[in-house]
Amino acid sequence: MKTMLKTTLALLLATGLNYTAAAQGISLPQPSSGQTVIQDFGLGKITVKYSRPNTKGREIFGALEPYGQVWRTGANNATAITFTEDISLEGKQVAAGEYALFTIPGKNEWTIILNKTVKQWGSYEYKEADDVIRIKVKPVTLKDKAETFTINFADVYPTKATLQLLWDNTMVPVKLTTNIDSRVMASIDEAMKGDKKPYFQAAQYYFENGKDLNKTLEWMNAAESADPKAPWVKLWKGRVQLKMGDKKGAAATAQAGIKLSTELNNPEYIRLNTGLLEETKK
């Protein structure tokens, strides 16, 4: 009964404010601004839609947002997070789909919750029975205060990233991972059967992900033959040669890359190939 009363009062308040503003014919900014964050990850995307309250001089966690209670992780509607492909949060598998992101703040530990009931106001109607996963993470104390609640992505790589929740002097990191290697390798194998073989892109993936360097160099040589005046191909071929221990070959490739970049008046690849040449001298 108490929970129902709180929900009813919250909805009446929101409805009343909107009705009053509409009746007076005015437009008002939301006290907690909305934001949608879209992050490419793996072979898909992650989208977070949430509202951003400010501290306004208030003590937040342990006070305005009590420890040990379910929080909507923002303001207004429950925060929504969508994965276009399967993903892991702190090692726990989650299927592609849309979820409500709830949290339970704690002084030394937070609980991160993905719940299948997305469209709900706040956490008044939250049901633990609808939880998909719960994970525990450790909060980090910030040196610089975050006035506005923020959700962002940091340290983003093809198969791993960190989802960060920041507000006041607290940051909560959640590690995300995805396994795309088998799908990428299968797509490379299939593409290599075609007439237009993606030598350069395939060699880049092999190089960046610790695959067979002999095959990587073979494909880089093929890419170089197909486009002999491309300084970016020279750069990556030189990187492969250097990683294989062929400093002399890498230096010659880098010099060729510098020459081509100069002819094309391309300062970026002059700089990158020059940097590669310097690495061969170490």
Side-chain angles (χ1 to χ4, degrees):
M1 180 64 71
K2 186 177 180 181
T3 300
M4 185 177 295
L5 179 60
K6 287 172 66 179
T7 304
T8 303
L9 288 172
L11 291 172
L12 285 173
L13 178 59
T15 303
L17 288 173
N18 290 336
Y19 175 78
T20 302
Q24 294 175 348
I26 60 175
S27 297
L28 297 175
Q30 291 292 325
S32 297
S33 61
Q35 184 177 59
T36 299
V37 181
I38 301 175
Q39 176 63 57
D40 292 341
F41 187 55
L43 299 177
K45 295 181 184 294
I46 304 173
T47 302
V48 181
K49 187 175 182 179
Y50 71 112
S51 293
R52 311 180 65 198
N54 295 309
T55 65
K56 299 179 181 178
R58 300 170 294 183
E59 183 181 354
I60 303 302
F61 298 115
L64 178 67
E65 302 299 341
Y67 291 140
Q69 294 188 21
V70 175
W71 178 43
R72 73 187 82 186
T73 319
N76 303 323
N77 291 319
T79 291
I81 186 166
T82 303
F83 309 109
T84 61
E85 60 178 16
D86 296 351
I87 195 172
S88 292
L89 276 70
E90 297 288 339
K92 285 196 174 183
Q93 289 288 325
V94 178
E98 184 180 24
Y99 304 93
L101 173 61
F102 292 108
T103 49
I104 301 177
K107 187 173 183 180
N108 300 310
E109 185 177 67
W110 279 49
T111 301
I112 309 298
I113 303 167
L114 293 187
N115 185 278
K116 64 184 181 182
T117 305
V118 179
K119 299 187 184 304
Q120 54 181 301
W121 178 267
S123 57
Y124 301 109
E125 297 298 322
Y126 163 80
K127 293 182 180 65
E128 185 174 345
D130 292 336
D131 287 352
V132 177
I133 63 164
R134 282 187 169 212
I135 56 177
K136 304 286 189 180
V137 295
K138 299 292 184 183
V140 176
T141 300
L142 297 172
K143 292 181 179 179
D144 298 320
K145 176 179 174 180
E147 169 62 24
T148 304
F149 176 60
T150 300
I151 299 178
N152 65 17
F153 295 88
D155 305 324
V156 180
Y157 293 89
T159 59
K160 63 181 181 179
T162 301
L163 176 71
Q164 295 182 334
L165 314 177
L166 305 99
W167 200 15
D168 199 12
N169 60 352
T170 299
M171 188 274 283
V172 180
V174 183
K175 293 178 181 177
L176 311 176
T177 56
T178 183
N179 183 10
I180 63 171
D181 186 66
S182 60
R183 285 181 288 159
V184 173
M185 292 294 285
S187 69
I188 289 173
D189 290 343
E190 187 63 28
M192 286 301 178
K193 297 175 184 177
D195 294 332
K196 297 184 69 174
K197 295 176 172 55
Y199 290 119
F200 183 57
Q201 294 84 352
Q204 280 183 308
Y205 185 82
Y206 264 50
F207 178 80
E208 293 281 21
N209 291 277
K211 305 294 182 180
D212 183 352
L213 283 175
N214 289 316
K215 176 64 71 174
T216 306
L217 183 59
E218 176 188 330
W219 285 343
M220 278 297 176
N221 284 332
E224 183 181 46
S225 296
D227 196 355
K229 293 190 176 182
W232 42 89
V233 175
K234 302 293 186 188
L235 173 69
W236 281 89
K237 177 182 174 180
R239 286 173 173 172
V240 175
Q241 291 171 306
L242 184 59
K243 193 171 184 178
M244 295 178 75
D246 182 9
K247 289 188 175 183
K248 183 177 179 181
T253 302
Q255 288 170 338
I258 294 169
K259 182 176 182 296
L260 287 171
S261 302
T262 302
E263 292 172 356
L264 293 172
N265 192 26
N266 189 321
E268 178 182 5
Y269 280 93
I270 292 174
R271 174 176 57 81
L272 291 173
N273 277 288
T274 299
L276 174 61
L277 182 59
E278 292 301 314
E279 287 185 53
T280 65
K281 299 175 183 177
K282 295 179 181 179

